[in-house]
Amino acid sequence: MSFVEYGDTIKDGDTAIVFLGHDSMFPVKVQHGNVTQTKYGVIRHSTDLIGKKYGSKVTCSKGGWVFILHPTPELWTMNLPHRTQILYSTDISIITMMLELKPGSIVCESGTGSGSLSHALIRTVAPTGHLYTVEFHQQRAEKAREEFREHGVEHLVTVTNQDVCKNGFGVSNIADAVFLDIPSPWEAIGHATSALKAEGGRICSFSPCIEQVQRTCLVMEEHGFTELNTLEILLRVYNVRTISLQIPDLGKTAEDNSSTGFDSSNPSNQGSPCANLQQGAVQFKSGVPLREMVGHTGYLTFATKS
């Protein structure tokens, strides 16, 4: 199993996603002899998972069923254990696009955190690219290395435990893009400049406060970055539902009825199209925004090394 190379069959040691519904899923480490409890009953790894195909419908001990899905960066973002606040797919998608990433790209990232963005970056630059990710916190760095090894992507990523503001990324003049998600990104702009290739490299800084953005932009300009652009991405979800509305009264007059010989009091005319227009209702699909929506997460500042 690998997050960048898809396999058909569930194997011992794989990380799989147990799908109970669109709003209910969780990851599980498949191990021979283990069991997983769900609200539908027990899943036995040896008999219910190992050897089965990804996407299989598995019946639990209580008679209910779940689907077992192959892990992807998107599914991992929704289900990973949170060691820090993470980036979600809404921001991740614009980051990978605006940094102009592709297979073979070299990317530097700080900090690694829970690895949500890291998995998406690895999948984007695979199979010939590489991610250099720096994490200040030692335990988080060690856990990230362990997860990358379990997920079959350790050959595509190098995890370093150090302070990027003091020691940089550990590489020079090779990166196509740099991503910063740290409290004081302006202190790492110089090291980002050194890590980026000679010309045309892209940088992105994620900051929750506009004061951080302002200070970072000033330092970017001092280091010769151009095309500075700050975005805020907000996701608005719509609830699609069926609603029923009365057909409007179009103002049919008594004279109109008499001219056509229509008598609404006559039982024989109750089923006529004209009667249905006056008394019927129509059903149709309508999209209504939710009363509450996720608000501000952070500002994304992009720039190009000149």
Side-chain angles (χ1 to χ4, degrees):
M1 183 278 303
S2 170
F3 272 53
V4 296
E5 298 174 359
Y6 295 95
D8 291 332
T9 306
I10 304 171
K11 299 180 177 63
D12 189 14
D14 282 3
T15 298
I17 305 297
V18 179
F19 180 91
L20 291 83
H22 290 291
D23 299 321
S24 180
M25 63 185 88
F26 60 89
V28 62
K29 177 75 174 293
V30 178
Q31 292 180 314
H32 185 79
N34 278 11
V35 298
T36 297
Q37 295 283 350
T38 75
K39 63 181 180 180
Y40 301 126
V42 172
I43 301 174
R44 295 174 175 82
H45 294 198
S46 301
T47 57
D48 297 332
L49 299 184
I50 297 176
K52 300 290 182 64
K53 287 189 174 183
Y54 279 106
S56 297
K57 183 178 179 179
V58 174
T59 302
C60 304
S61 60
K62 293 181 181 179
W65 48 266
V66 299
F67 287 104
I68 308 299
L69 305 181
H70 194 290
T72 65
E74 291 80 9
L75 290 174
W76 186 244
T77 290
M78 297 170 64
N79 296 282
L80 59 78
H82 286 227
R83 299 183 289 273
T84 60
Q85 179 62 37
I86 70 169
L87 289 175
Y88 290 92
S89 297
T90 307
D91 288 319
I92 290 173
S93 59
I94 197 72
I95 290 170
T96 55
M97 184 190 75
M98 294 292 287
L99 289 182
E100 301 174 2
L101 301 182
K102 60 186 182 298
S105 296
I106 305 298
V107 188
C108 293
E109 174 197 26
S110 183
T112 311
S114 301
S116 174
L117 176 64
S118 303
H119 282 81
L121 294 177
I122 291 170
R123 198 261 307 271
T124 303
V125 304
T128 56
H130 201 83
L131 171 66
Y132 294 89
T133 183
V134 178
E135 174 56 51
F136 175 79
H137 194 273
Q138 182 179 356
Q139 285 74 25
R140 289 201 292 264
E142 292 174 354
K143 186 61 178 176
R145 288 194 194 97
E146 179 184 343
E147 286 181 350
F148 293 142
R149 183 171 55 254
E150 291 179 352
H151 297 165
V153 296
E154 71 276 9
H155 61 292
L156 297 169
V157 57
T158 299
V159 182
T160 305
N161 172 220
Q162 64 187 27
D163 185 351
V164 70
C165 296
K166 295 180 179 179
N167 307 113
F169 294 95
V171 297
S172 299
N173 302 319
I174 65 169
D176 297 290
V178 169
F179 176 80
L180 298 174
D181 183 7
I182 54 178
S184 53
W186 56 88
E187 296 181 1
I189 298 300
H191 294 296
T193 305
S194 300
L196 286 167
K197 59 187 181 182
E199 185 178 356
R202 294 280 286 168
I203 186 172
C204 175
S205 174
F206 177 88
S207 297
C209 301
I210 195 63
E211 292 82 6
Q212 294 171 300
V213 174
Q214 292 171 329
R215 192 166 179 180
T216 302
C217 288
L218 290 174
V219 177
M220 283 181 175
E221 289 180 337
E222 292 174 1
H223 282 80
F225 283 93
T226 60
E227 300 178 348
L228 274 68
N229 186 21
T230 298
L231 307 175
E232 180 184 23
I233 312 301
L234 300 178
L235 177 65
R236 190 175 190 185
V237 179
Y238 278 76
N239 180 24
V240 179
R241 61 187 183 184
T242 301
I243 64 174
S244 179
L245 290 179
Q246 286 291 125
I247 295 177
D249 184 351
L250 301 180
K252 198 76 171 178
T253 64
E255 290 78 6
D256 294 331
N257 287 338
S258 60
S259 65
T260 59
F262 178 79
D263 183 4
S264 60
S265 62
N266 188 341
S268 63
N269 289 330
Q270 294 300 315
S272 68
C274 189
N276 288 336
L277 282 175
Q278 298 298 325
Q279 301 173 7
V282 62
Q283 290 185 336
F284 61 93
K285 297 289 186 180
S286 176
V288 181
L290 301 181
R291 293 181 179 272
E292 295 181 358
M293 62 176 284
V294 178
H296 171 74
T297 56
Y299 300 102
L300 293 169
T301 300
F302 298 91
T304 302
K305 182 178 179 181
S306 176

